[in-house]
Amino acid sequence: MNELEILNKLEKIRKEKGWSRYQLSKYAGITPSTLSNAIKRGTIPSIPTLNAFLEACNMTLAQFFDNEDKGSVRINNKELDLINNFRLLDNDLKEDVFKLIITLNKYKKV
């Protein structure tokens, strides 16, 4: 992914959220000039800056750079927390949790 593609993708995500550039910078804890300068100059923000923007959007660097054409799925922070906690369980408990989720989905409200 080149500089322009990175900036365009960041802009696309920002617009999908319905945020102004100012709002994105504030949610990310970055000065508005940092984002504005990157866009005007066509330069990639530093990794920590890009990561701050993505965290504000509930997205990881890996998700941002993942090729969406491969059918990847974006997960939010709650889903990531669920996965991380699931991994801590022993195999028997993992199987029980999996069965519980399948059962709950059978009875969910439509």
Side-chain angles (χ1 to χ4, degrees):
M1 190 178 290
N2 66 35
E3 291 92 350
L4 185 58
E5 291 170 328
I6 290 171
L7 292 172
N8 286 340
K9 189 167 184 177
L10 187 57
E11 279 289 286
K12 179 183 173 201
I13 293 166
R14 178 190 64 78
K15 289 176 182 177
E16 287 173 356
K17 296 279 186 185
W19 296 342
S20 68
R21 289 178 183 164
Y22 177 80
Q23 287 173 310
L24 174 57
S25 65
K26 288 301 177 188
Y27 296 146
I30 304 295
T31 63
S33 62
T34 301
L35 178 59
S36 180
N37 287 339
I39 292 168
K40 286 178 185 175
R41 294 180 188 148
T43 58
I44 302 172
S46 68
I47 295 296
T49 300
L50 180 59
N51 194 47
F53 289 134
L54 296 176
E55 283 181 0
C57 298
N58 290 322
M59 184 180 290
T60 66
L61 283 167
Q63 290 169 323
F64 181 78
F65 286 107
D66 191 25
N67 185 349
E68 294 176 6
D69 295 336
K70 295 180 181 176
S72 63
V73 176
R74 290 184 180 166
I75 61 172
N76 62 38
N77 289 340
K78 284 185 178 181
E79 292 166 327
L80 182 59
D81 191 39
L82 180 65
I83 291 167
N84 288 332
N85 280 289
F86 182 81
R87 288 178 176 165
L88 297 173
L89 300 174
D90 65 40
N91 287 337
D92 289 338
L93 283 175
K94 285 179 182 176
E95 188 61 31
D96 290 342
V97 169
F98 183 75
K99 288 177 184 176
L100 175 64
I101 292 171
I102 298 300
T103 301
L104 289 172
N105 276 320
K106 288 180 183 177
Y107 297 104
K108 70 181 177 185
K109 295 178 182 177
V110 179

